[in-house]
Amino acid sequence: MKHTNTLQVALLARSPVLGQVKHRLAEDIGAKNALECYRLLLLNALEATRPFATTIWYEGSTEVWDEIAPDHRLKEQPPGDLGHKMFTALVEGAKLVIGADVPLMSEDYIDKALNHLTTQQDVVVGPTEDGGYCLIGMNEPCEKLFENISWGSDLVLEQTLTRAADLDLQVFLLPTLWDVDTSADYQRWKQGIPSDKVFQV
């Protein structure tokens, strides 16, 4: 079932500014290449969310968004850890929260997540290979699901699923994707993008 743009998606993203994105990746490939990589990943995420009512929850400067996403609603991320940011977006109307640096994020992937939220699932999660997740959706936001999680570690998914079980929440897991955080991820990503978009390290 295809969903209409009345459903809310929150895209969590950093403003694509030189030196302010993908710090760990930039240590290996340089800040300019890291920025170009992030911009292309962000454009992919924007394309994936195009059919849905999407708000960009951004961290960083505002001006750059006029160029890269002129038609999107913008909200500044609140202070706090990643869990608080995601919970805030859900409380303010989003059904799903997704990340901006996942090469295989797609319209179909988002649509599948929304479908599972309409079939009595409490939570839907899109796992990533590094032990985290790139998408989470809830019918009723539950703050406890985001508390005391080791954000940024390889324990995020495991801890989240354990917490969901403790809260008696039904979780549906989508297929596992991967994000671009390291130089190895970067090389893997480069092999899958059009040749005219590839730039050399």
PDB file of all heavy atoms in Angstrom, residues 107-123:
ATOM      1  N   GLU A 107      12.323   5.317  -1.098  1.00  0.00           N
ATOM      2  CA  GLU A 107      10.891   5.518  -0.911  1.00  0.00           C
ATOM      3  C   GLU A 107      10.207   4.222  -0.492  1.00  0.00           C
ATOM      4  O   GLU A 107       9.356   4.213   0.402  1.00  0.00           O
ATOM      5  CB  GLU A 107      10.275   6.033  -2.212  1.00  0.00           C
ATOM      6  CG  GLU A 107       8.770   6.177  -2.182  1.00  0.00           C
ATOM      7  CD  GLU A 107       8.197   6.541  -3.531  1.00  0.00           C
ATOM      8  OE1 GLU A 107       8.935   7.065  -4.382  1.00  0.00           O
ATOM      9  OE2 GLU A 107       6.988   6.286  -3.743  1.00  0.00           O
ATOM     10  N   ASP A 108      10.570   3.105  -1.125  1.00  0.00           N
ATOM     11  CA  ASP A 108       9.952   1.821  -0.787  1.00  0.00           C
ATOM     12  C   ASP A 108      10.246   1.408   0.646  1.00  0.00           C
ATOM     13  O   ASP A 108       9.382   0.859   1.337  1.00  0.00           O
ATOM     14  CB  ASP A 108      10.433   0.735  -1.745  1.00  0.00           C
ATOM     15  CG  ASP A 108       9.779   0.833  -3.114  1.00  0.00           C
ATOM     16  OD1 ASP A 108       8.752   1.539  -3.238  1.00  0.00           O
ATOM     17  OD2 ASP A 108      10.293   0.217  -4.058  1.00  0.00           O
ATOM     18  N   TYR A 109      11.466   1.645   1.083  1.00  0.00           N
ATOM     19  CA  TYR A 109      11.855   1.285   2.452  1.00  0.00           C
ATOM     20  C   TYR A 109      11.008   2.063   3.465  1.00  0.00           C
ATOM     21  O   TYR A 109      10.499   1.498   4.440  1.00  0.00           O
ATOM     22  CB  TYR A 109      13.333   1.594   2.644  1.00  0.00           C
ATOM     23  CG  TYR A 109      13.974   0.960   3.858  1.00  0.00           C
ATOM     24  CD1 TYR A 109      14.383  -0.370   3.841  1.00  0.00           C
ATOM     25  CD2 TYR A 109      14.208   1.708   5.016  1.00  0.00           C
ATOM     26  CE1 TYR A 109      15.002  -0.947   4.937  1.00  0.00           C
ATOM     27  CE2 TYR A 109      14.826   1.140   6.113  1.00  0.00           C
ATOM     28  CZ  TYR A 109      15.218  -0.189   6.069  1.00  0.00           C
ATOM     29  OH  TYR A 109      15.836  -0.754   7.168  1.00  0.00           O
ATOM     30  N   ILE A 110      10.843   3.359   3.210  1.00  0.00           N
ATOM     31  CA  ILE A 110      10.028   4.194   4.093  1.00  0.00           C
ATOM     32  C   ILE A 110       8.570   3.749   4.046  1.00  0.00           C
ATOM     33  O   ILE A 110       7.894   3.669   5.080  1.00  0.00           O
ATOM     34  CB  ILE A 110      10.174   5.671   3.690  1.00  0.00           C
ATOM     35  CG1 ILE A 110      11.606   6.148   3.944  1.00  0.00           C
ATOM     36  CG2 ILE A 110       9.177   6.546   4.444  1.00  0.00           C
ATOM     37  CD1 ILE A 110      11.919   7.507   3.350  1.00  0.00           C
ATOM     38  N   ASP A 111       8.095   3.435   2.851  1.00  0.00           N
ATOM     39  CA  ASP A 111       6.704   3.026   2.705  1.00  0.00           C
ATOM     40  C   ASP A 111       6.436   1.709   3.447  1.00  0.00           C
ATOM     41  O   ASP A 111       5.388   1.552   4.083  1.00  0.00           O
ATOM     42  CB  ASP A 111       6.358   2.876   1.229  1.00  0.00           C
ATOM     43  CG  ASP A 111       4.866   2.976   0.969  1.00  0.00           C
ATOM     44  OD1 ASP A 111       4.303   4.048   1.250  1.00  0.00           O
ATOM     45  OD2 ASP A 111       4.269   1.994   0.520  1.00  0.00           O
ATOM     46  N   LYS A 112       7.374   0.781   3.381  1.00  0.00           N
ATOM     47  CA  LYS A 112       7.224  -0.477   4.120  1.00  0.00           C
ATOM     48  C   LYS A 112       7.143  -0.214   5.625  1.00  0.00           C
ATOM     49  O   LYS A 112       6.365  -0.849   6.345  1.00  0.00           O
ATOM     50  CB  LYS A 112       8.387  -1.417   3.819  1.00  0.00           C
ATOM     51  CG  LYS A 112       8.315  -2.042   2.439  1.00  0.00           C
ATOM     52  CD  LYS A 112       9.542  -2.896   2.150  1.00  0.00           C
ATOM     53  CE  LYS A 112       9.498  -3.463   0.739  1.00  0.00           C
ATOM     54  NZ  LYS A 112      10.727  -4.212   0.395  1.00  0.00           N
ATOM     55  N   ALA A 113       7.961   0.717   6.099  1.00  0.00           N
ATOM     56  CA  ALA A 113       7.931   1.058   7.523  1.00  0.00           C
ATOM     57  C   ALA A 113       6.560   1.595   7.917  1.00  0.00           C
ATOM     58  O   ALA A 113       5.987   1.190   8.941  1.00  0.00           O
ATOM     59  CB  ALA A 113       9.017   2.079   7.837  1.00  0.00           C
ATOM     60  N   LEU A 114       6.014   2.482   7.100  1.00  0.00           N
ATOM     61  CA  LEU A 114       4.702   3.044   7.401  1.00  0.00           C
ATOM     62  C   LEU A 114       3.613   1.980   7.340  1.00  0.00           C
ATOM     63  O   LEU A 114       2.677   1.983   8.148  1.00  0.00           O
ATOM     64  CB  LEU A 114       4.391   4.184   6.426  1.00  0.00           C
ATOM     65  CG  LEU A 114       5.243   5.443   6.611  1.00  0.00           C
ATOM     66  CD1 LEU A 114       5.044   6.396   5.442  1.00  0.00           C
ATOM     67  CD2 LEU A 114       4.918   6.135   7.921  1.00  0.00           C
ATOM     68  N   ASN A 115       3.737   1.052   6.405  1.00  0.00           N
ATOM     69  CA  ASN A 115       2.760  -0.033   6.319  1.00  0.00           C
ATOM     70  C   ASN A 115       2.721  -0.855   7.595  1.00  0.00           C
ATOM     71  O   ASN A 115       1.645  -1.235   8.078  1.00  0.00           O
ATOM     72  CB  ASN A 115       3.084  -0.952   5.132  1.00  0.00           C
ATOM     73  CG  ASN A 115       2.633  -0.369   3.809  1.00  0.00           C
ATOM     74  OD1 ASN A 115       1.747   0.487   3.763  1.00  0.00           O
ATOM     75  ND2 ASN A 115       3.253  -0.804   2.734  1.00  0.00           N
ATOM     76  N   HIS A 116       3.877  -1.147   8.147  1.00  0.00           N
ATOM     77  CA  HIS A 116       3.915  -1.964   9.356  1.00  0.00           C
ATOM     78  C   HIS A 116       3.374  -1.215  10.574  1.00  0.00           C
ATOM     79  O   HIS A 116       2.882  -1.842  11.516  1.00  0.00           O
ATOM     80  CB  HIS A 116       5.327  -2.485   9.599  1.00  0.00           C
ATOM     81  CG  HIS A 116       5.699  -3.614   8.691  1.00  0.00           C
ATOM     82  ND1 HIS A 116       5.136  -4.870   8.793  1.00  0.00           N
ATOM     83  CD2 HIS A 116       6.543  -3.675   7.637  1.00  0.00           C
ATOM     84  CE1 HIS A 116       5.632  -5.656   7.848  1.00  0.00           C
ATOM     85  NE2 HIS A 116       6.483  -4.951   7.131  1.00  0.00           N
ATOM     86  N   LEU A 117       3.432   0.093  10.540  1.00  0.00           N
ATOM     87  CA  LEU A 117       2.844   0.862  11.646  1.00  0.00           C
ATOM     88  C   LEU A 117       1.322   0.871  11.572  1.00  0.00           C
ATOM     89  O   LEU A 117       0.668   1.187  12.559  1.00  0.00           O
ATOM     90  CB  LEU A 117       3.368   2.300  11.634  1.00  0.00           C
ATOM     91  CG  LEU A 117       4.793   2.501  12.134  1.00  0.00           C
ATOM     92  CD1 LEU A 117       5.161   3.973  12.067  1.00  0.00           C
ATOM     93  CD2 LEU A 117       4.975   1.983  13.563  1.00  0.00           C
ATOM     94  N   THR A 118       0.777   0.528  10.413  1.00  0.00           N
ATOM     95  CA  THR A 118      -0.686   0.494  10.292  1.00  0.00           C
ATOM     96  C   THR A 118      -1.241  -0.914  10.475  1.00  0.00           C
ATOM     97  O   THR A 118      -2.431  -1.142  10.285  1.00  0.00           O
ATOM     98  CB  THR A 118      -1.134   1.036   8.917  1.00  0.00           C
ATOM     99  OG1 THR A 118      -0.576   0.215   7.886  1.00  0.00           O
ATOM    100  CG2 THR A 118      -0.686   2.473   8.736  1.00  0.00           C
ATOM    101  N   THR A 119      -0.373  -1.857  10.849  1.00  0.00           N
ATOM    102  CA  THR A 119      -0.827  -3.237  11.049  1.00  0.00           C
ATOM    103  C   THR A 119      -0.551  -3.698  12.485  1.00  0.00           C
ATOM    104  O   THR A 119      -0.030  -4.779  12.711  1.00  0.00           O
ATOM    105  CB  THR A 119      -0.145  -4.191  10.062  1.00  0.00           C
ATOM    106  OG1 THR A 119       1.291  -4.068  10.190  1.00  0.00           O
ATOM    107  CG2 THR A 119      -0.550  -3.879   8.638  1.00  0.00           C
ATOM    108  N   GLN A 120      -0.830  -2.817  13.414  1.00  0.00           N
ATOM    109  CA  GLN A 120      -0.793  -3.139  14.845  1.00  0.00           C
ATOM    110  C   GLN A 120       0.611  -3.291  15.430  1.00  0.00           C
ATOM    111  O   GLN A 120       0.765  -3.756  16.546  1.00  0.00           O
ATOM    112  CB  GLN A 120      -1.606  -4.418  15.140  1.00  0.00           C
ATOM    113  CG  GLN A 120      -3.026  -4.409  14.583  1.00  0.00           C
ATOM    114  CD  GLN A 120      -3.813  -3.178  14.996  1.00  0.00           C
ATOM    115  OE1 GLN A 120      -3.840  -2.830  16.179  1.00  0.00           O
ATOM    116  NE2 GLN A 120      -4.444  -2.511  14.054  1.00  0.00           N
ATOM    117  N   GLN A 121       1.650  -2.925  14.679  1.00  0.00           N
ATOM    118  CA  GLN A 121       2.987  -2.920  15.270  1.00  0.00           C
ATOM    119  C   GLN A 121       3.157  -1.625  16.073  1.00  0.00           C
ATOM    120  O   GLN A 121       2.754  -0.552  15.623  1.00  0.00           O
ATOM    121  CB  GLN A 121       4.066  -3.006  14.188  1.00  0.00           C
ATOM    122  CG  GLN A 121       3.999  -4.259  13.345  1.00  0.00           C
ATOM    123  CD  GLN A 121       4.378  -5.511  14.101  1.00  0.00           C
ATOM    124  OE1 GLN A 121       5.029  -5.438  15.134  1.00  0.00           O
ATOM    125  NE2 GLN A 121       3.960  -6.663  13.606  1.00  0.00           N
ATOM    126  N   ASP A 122       3.761  -1.738  17.249  1.00  0.00           N
ATOM    127  CA  ASP A 122       4.003  -0.544  18.069  1.00  0.00           C
ATOM    128  C   ASP A 122       5.198   0.252  17.560  1.00  0.00           C
ATOM    129  O   ASP A 122       5.212   1.486  17.589  1.00  0.00           O
ATOM    130  CB  ASP A 122       4.256  -0.943  19.523  1.00  0.00           C
ATOM    131  CG  ASP A 122       3.076  -1.668  20.131  1.00  0.00           C
ATOM    132  OD1 ASP A 122       1.955  -1.173  20.011  1.00  0.00           O
ATOM    133  OD2 ASP A 122       3.293  -2.743  20.729  1.00  0.00           O
ATOM    134  N   VAL A 123       6.220  -0.479  17.106  1.00  0.00           N
ATOM    135  CA  VAL A 123       7.490   0.133  16.726  1.00  0.00           C
ATOM    136  C   VAL A 123       7.997  -0.555  15.460  1.00  0.00           C
ATOM    137  O   VAL A 123       7.869  -1.771  15.303  1.00  0.00           O
ATOM    138  CB  VAL A 123       8.557  -0.025  17.833  1.00  0.00           C
ATOM    139  CG1 VAL A 123       9.839   0.730  17.465  1.00  0.00           C
ATOM    140  CG2 VAL A 123       8.031   0.443  19.177  1.00  0.00           C
TER     141      VAL A 123
END
